[in-house]
């Protein structure tokens, strides 16, 4: 559906097309002025709605196909008449400690910007409202919208990274606690946490190259079409924040891998301790079993068989041997 559609002139909202079919008139009016542009926002639009927008704005069919199907990696594509950018906003759900991602696609062209959202965690209402309260910034046109959306997305990455760091510290404390690390579901929790980091990395990692291209960093010295060249310092700031996020994600991934290795090592040590205890008790049980087995054989000529103190003597011998074995295993830490 169409969430919002408006014409902005000199950074101020001046009008909205009465019907989606009036977009061509609004776009023509915006292009007739150097300080106006059209911003239309779509949320999981139908083929009919998207088809009308595509026809009015002349969007490239390959980009439209990507925007309709969603499930895209963050990327930046330059076409003849438009610029296509894909971002993946991430939402942290504290109730379930899960990370979920949505998608925001932006089409930038001559005096227009089209935003397409997929998923519940990709709302741009706050971004639009903030821009409308800052006409001096919004007057820079579609470039300002692209920067604001990218900046809001990456800033929220930092918040999610902080939440994940807190969860990791709690998981680390549980693993290295005296009794918590041996619980049966600890390994599954560690693996589930690693899956959350992977979901987060899928959103942040591929975005580095598009942000570097917008910022003109490294092998991307040329300006990006439909993006003002004087906006590069702003995109460099976004790129710096994204670099911090990616470094944080890498650190989280390494730590959770180390925690999983430590947990498995702890489980191995506990199993070895258990095996030593079992072996010690088995050795202690073998001594009286051996003696009782010998005296249980049907032979007439056996040591002390007819002595009146034979039974208590054998019992005392068993007890003494058991005590000696117990003290020896206890001293070595097997019990």
């Amino acid at each position: 559906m169409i969430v919002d559609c408006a014409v902005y002139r000199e950074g101020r909202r001046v009008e909205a097309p009465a019907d989606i079919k009036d977009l061509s008139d609004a776009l023509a009016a915006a292009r007739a002025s150097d300080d106006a542009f059209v911003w239309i926002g779509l949320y999981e639009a139908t083929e009919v709605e998207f088809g009308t927008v595509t026809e009015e704005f002349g969007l490239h069919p390959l980009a439209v196909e990507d925007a309709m199907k969603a499930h895209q990696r963050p990327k930046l594509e330059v076409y003849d008449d438009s610029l296509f950018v894909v971002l993946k906003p991430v939402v942290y759900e504290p109730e379930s400690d899960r990370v979920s991602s949505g998608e925001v696609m932006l089409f930038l062209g001559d005096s227009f910007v089209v935003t397409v959202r997929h998923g519940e965690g990709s709302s741009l209402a706050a971004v639009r409202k903030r821009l409308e309260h800052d006409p001096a910034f919004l007057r820079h046109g579609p470039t300002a919208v692209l920067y604001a959306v990218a900046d809001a997305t990456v800033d929220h990455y930092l918040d999610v990274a902080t939440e994940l760091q807190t969860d990791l510290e709690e998981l680390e404390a549980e693993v290295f606690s005296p009794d918590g690390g041996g619980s049966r579901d600890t390994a599954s929790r560690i693996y589930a946490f690693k899956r959350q980091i992977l979901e987060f990395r899928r959103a942040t990692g591929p975005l580095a190259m598009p942000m570097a291209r917008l910022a003109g960093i490294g092998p991307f010295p040329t300006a990006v079409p439909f993006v003002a060249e004087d906006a590069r310092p702003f995109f460099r700031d976004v790129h710096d924040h994204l670099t911090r996020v990616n470094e944080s994600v890498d650190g989280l991934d390494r730590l959770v891998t180390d925690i999983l290795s430590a947990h498995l090592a702890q489980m191995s040590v506990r199993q070895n301790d258990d095996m030593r205890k079992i072996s010690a008790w088995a050795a202690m049980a073998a001594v009286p079993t051996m003696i009782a087995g010998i005296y249980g054989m049907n032979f007439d000529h056996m040591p002390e068989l007819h002595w009146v103190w034979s039974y208590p003597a054998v019992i005392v011998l068993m007890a003494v041997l058991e005590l000696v074995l117990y003290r020896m295993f206890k001293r070595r830490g097997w019990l």
Side-chain angles (χ1 to χ4, degrees):
M1 63 179 178
I2 298 179
V3 178
D4 201 351
C5 180
V7 176
Y8 296 88
R9 181 171 288 109
E10 294 185 353
R12 299 184 182 278
R13 185 169 182 149
V14 294
E15 59 181 293
D19 187 79
I20 189 172
K21 297 180 179 179
D22 297 332
L23 286 175
S24 57
D25 296 335
L27 182 59
R31 285 175 173 172
S33 175
D34 294 335
D35 55 1
F37 71 98
V38 179
W39 180 2
I40 179 171
L42 304 174
Y43 175 69
E44 297 182 354
T46 64
E47 291 187 8
V48 175
E49 293 172 334
F50 219 123
T52 303
V53 173
T54 300
E55 181 180 356
E56 297 295 341
F57 290 100
L59 305 180
H60 197 279
L62 292 178
V64 171
E65 181 182 359
D66 289 344
M68 285 292 296
K69 291 183 177 180
H71 304 293
Q72 303 295 318
R73 298 173 72 252
K75 62 180 180 179
L76 185 152
E77 299 285 349
V78 178
Y79 298 100
D80 293 336
D81 299 325
S82 63
L83 179 71
F84 181 57
V85 181
V86 179
L87 304 174
K88 291 183 74 70
V90 171
V91 176
Y92 176 81
E93 301 172 3
E95 296 81 8
S96 58
D97 294 336
R98 292 184 64 253
V99 172
S100 60
S101 61
E103 289 186 41
V104 174
M105 287 86 163
L106 297 96
F107 295 87
L108 275 74
D110 182 14
S111 301
F112 74 86
V113 56
V114 178
T115 55
V116 184
R117 299 190 294 111
H118 293 272
E120 296 295 332
S122 57
S123 177
L124 298 179
V127 175
R128 186 187 286 261
K129 184 177 180 180
R130 186 170 68 251
L131 285 173
E132 290 180 350
H133 282 80
D134 190 1
F137 187 79
L138 188 56
R139 68 185 303 171
H140 291 89
T143 301
V145 177
L146 175 60
Y147 164 74
V149 174
D151 184 59
T153 300
V154 173
D155 282 348
H156 195 61
Y157 287 165
L158 292 170
D159 297 335
V160 174
T162 301
E163 295 289 348
L164 289 176
Q165 181 66 42
T166 302
D167 289 346
L168 181 60
E169 291 173 357
E170 295 176 356
L171 187 60
E172 186 178 18
E174 176 184 341
V175 168
F176 291 103
S177 64
D179 53 354
S183 60
R184 294 183 177 180
D185 62 340
T186 301
S188 61
R189 287 192 58 197
I190 296 174
Y191 180 76
F193 188 83
K194 194 171 182 64
R195 292 285 300 176
Q196 304 309 310
I197 295 177
L198 177 61
E199 180 71 19
F200 194 22
R201 186 193 292 274
R202 286 173 179 169
T204 63
L207 187 58
M209 185 173 292
M211 286 297 106
R213 190 172 179 181
L214 291 170
I217 297 175
F220 307 105
T222 58
V224 178
F226 308 108
V227 176
E229 190 169 355
D230 57 0
R232 286 186 174 186
F234 295 93
F235 287 108
R236 279 200 293 269
D237 181 67
V238 177
H239 183 269
D240 289 342
H241 291 175
L242 181 62
T243 300
R244 287 174 51 197
V245 172
N246 284 326
E247 290 174 351
S248 178
V249 172
D250 291 340
L252 290 172
D253 188 54
R254 288 194 298 269
L255 281 174
V256 75
T257 300
D258 292 343
I259 290 175
L260 179 59
S261 299
H263 172 68
L264 295 178
Q266 283 183 329
M267 295 298 294
S268 178
V269 170
R270 288 192 178 95
Q271 289 175 354
N272 290 336
D273 289 340
D274 293 340
M275 288 301 300
R276 286 192 299 180
K277 291 178 181 179
I278 293 173
S279 300
W281 286 112
M284 292 173 62
V287 171
T289 302
M290 179 188 66
I291 296 176
I294 291 175
Y295 278 88
M297 293 187 292
N298 296 322
F299 292 103
D300 289 334
H301 303 287
M302 295 187 70
E304 313 298 343
L305 186 63
H306 300 287
W307 184 36
V308 68
W309 295 102
S310 296
Y311 181 77
V314 170
I315 296 299
V316 171
L317 176 62
M318 290 182 181
V320 170
L321 290 175
E322 289 294 298
L323 180 61
V324 171
L325 288 174
Y326 179 82
R327 290 176 63 86
M328 181 180 67
F329 289 137
K330 191 72 173 177
R331 188 180 299 112
R332 294 184 177 181
W334 286 35
L335 292 175

